[in-house]
């Protein structure tokens, strides 16, 4: 915790495996806001969103926020088990589906949810909404009230702020957790802090924990697949790819 202008703030949460040495940068949602006219560089980039340093979902989970350009993002992966109307999102343990919504525990271990959030299939994140590639997407879906699922176009806007998708991965991934064989570090330029949570496939087999992250968009690619954002341990790129709607991936939300 840290105190700023008389207010106490929690940093990003740290998950350390016993017996290892890790380096962490503590990020606090300070909100010493500088007025911005929308042109040039936002002086508040990397800070907590003005008037919204945190948000809380239906379950009572609290998430840090981060301002990047004109976008206010969740700084952490979604970990809700309910939609904002109180409807339960079923926990998938034996099957996957493109028809029914499911959430999954990363690594099939509920202890991982507090740090990595849940995986969700695309049906779960959309909550009956139609595909959208608009800016803003207009799809609340699984997100808390006042927030929405980012479209593929909105992810592109984020990458443009980073200098393009070819370098956005390096600038958006949290440092210290990725298994980077080259020994290079990630910048996490503004504290977006993508963590290597991996994914779960249609056979409920878990993949790539520690080496990749997949984050859904609200944009359909085909009748059975949708656009997602792939971050990989040995690449500086943020890759926009399609994945089967069966798969369980992580979610970040954008403020309306």
């Amino acid at each position: 915790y840290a105190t700023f202008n008389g207010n106490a703030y929690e940093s990003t949460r740290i998950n350390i495996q016993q017996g290892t040495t890790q380096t962490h940068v503590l990020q606090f949602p300070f909100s010493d806001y500088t007025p911005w006219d929308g042109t040039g560089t936002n002086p508040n980039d990397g800070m907590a969103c003005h008037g919204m340093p945190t948000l809380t979902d239906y379950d009572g989970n609290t998430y840090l926020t981060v301002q990047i350009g004109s976008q206010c993002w969740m700084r952490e992966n979604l970990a809700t088990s309910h939609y904002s109307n109180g409807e339960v999102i079923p926990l998938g343990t034996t099957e996957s589906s493109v028809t029914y919504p499911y959430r999954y525990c990363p690594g099939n271990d509920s202890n991982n949810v507090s740090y990595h959030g849940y995986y969700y299939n695309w049906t779960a994140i959309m909550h009956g909404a139609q595909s959208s590639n608009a800016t803003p997407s207009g799809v609340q879906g699984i997100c808390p009230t006042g927030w929405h699922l980012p479209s593929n176009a909105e992810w592109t806007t984020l990458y443009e702020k980073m200098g393009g998708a070819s370098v956005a991965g390096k600038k958006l991934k949290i440092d210290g957790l990725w298994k980077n064989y080259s020994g290079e570090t990630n910048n996490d330029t503004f504290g977006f802090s993508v963590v290597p949570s991996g994914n779960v496939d249609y056979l409920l087999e878990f993949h790539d924990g520690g080496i990749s992250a997949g984050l859904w968009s609200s944009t359909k690619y085909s009748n059975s697949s949708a656009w997602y954002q792939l971050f990989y341990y040995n690449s500086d790129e943020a890759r926009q790819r399609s994945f089967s709607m069966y798969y369980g991936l992580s979610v970040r939300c954008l403020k309306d």
Side-chain angles (χ1 to χ4, degrees):
Y1 293 83
T3 301
F4 183 72
N5 288 341
N7 296 311
Y9 295 90
E10 180 186 355
S11 74
T12 49
R13 300 176 184 92
I14 301 174
N15 183 16
I16 301 176
Q17 182 177 352
Q18 196 170 17
T20 66
T21 300
Q22 300 179 19
T23 299
H24 295 270
V25 176
L26 302 184
Q27 297 162 339
F28 296 93
F30 297 155
S31 53
D32 190 16
Y33 178 74
T34 301
W36 180 51
D37 63 5
T39 61
T41 300
N42 188 342
N44 307 292
D45 282 348
M47 300 183 69
C49 303
H50 181 53
M52 184 68 68
T54 62
L55 71 144
T56 304
D57 64 23
Y58 184 91
D59 292 350
N61 300 310
T62 300
Y63 308 89
L64 302 177
T65 67
V66 61
Q67 187 75 42
I68 302 178
S70 61
Q71 297 177 320
C72 173
W73 287 89
M74 285 175 51
R75 195 192 289 260
E76 304 169 82
N77 292 346
L78 192 66
T80 187
S81 60
H82 294 79
Y83 295 107
S84 63
N85 64 0
E87 181 184 346
V88 174
I89 304 165
L91 181 65
T93 57
T94 60
E95 62 181 332
S96 59
S97 175
V98 295
T99 306
Y100 298 103
Y102 285 109
R103 58 186 163 95
Y104 307 93
C105 298
N108 201 29
D109 185 347
S110 60
N111 292 320
N112 291 330
V113 175
S114 62
Y115 188 75
H116 291 277
Y118 283 111
Y119 302 137
Y120 303 93
N121 65 4
W122 200 70
T123 301
I125 71 163
M126 296 298 285
H127 196 205
Q130 297 298 308
S131 169
S132 171
N133 198 34
T135 302
S137 72
V139 177
Q140 177 183 348
I142 199 173
C143 295
T145 301
W147 294 72
H148 65 272
L149 290 167
S151 65
N152 210 48
E154 288 178 293
W155 280 107
T156 299
T157 297
L158 176 64
Y159 300 155
E160 290 172 349
K161 180 69 178 178
M162 299 297 114
S166 62
V167 296
K170 183 180 182 69
K171 295 181 179 181
L172 293 171
K173 290 184 290 188
I174 194 169
D175 194 27
L177 294 183
W178 293 79
K179 298 175 182 178
N180 194 333
Y181 72 86
S182 67
E184 296 179 359
T185 57
N186 300 300
N187 294 340
D188 202 10
T189 305
F190 297 127
F192 191 80
S193 303
V194 175
V195 292
S197 300
N199 63 77
V200 60
D201 67 18
Y202 67 98
L203 296 175
L204 300 194
E205 294 178 350
F206 298 88
H207 300 280
D208 294 349
I211 66 173
S212 82
L215 292 159
W216 280 123
S217 81
S218 63
T219 309
K220 182 190 293 188
Y221 180 81
S222 70
N223 287 334
S224 60
S225 63
W227 287 100
Y228 82 110
Q229 319 304 308
L230 172 63
F231 299 85
Y232 209 65
Y233 77 106
N234 63 351
S235 175
D236 291 344
E237 184 180 4
R239 305 172 185 176
Q240 293 180 306
R241 299 287 189 268
S242 63
F243 229 175
S244 169
M245 295 174 183
Y246 277 104
Y247 275 69
L249 301 177
S250 304
V251 169
R252 296 286 183 100
C253 299
L254 260 175
K255 191 174 183 298
D256 293 347

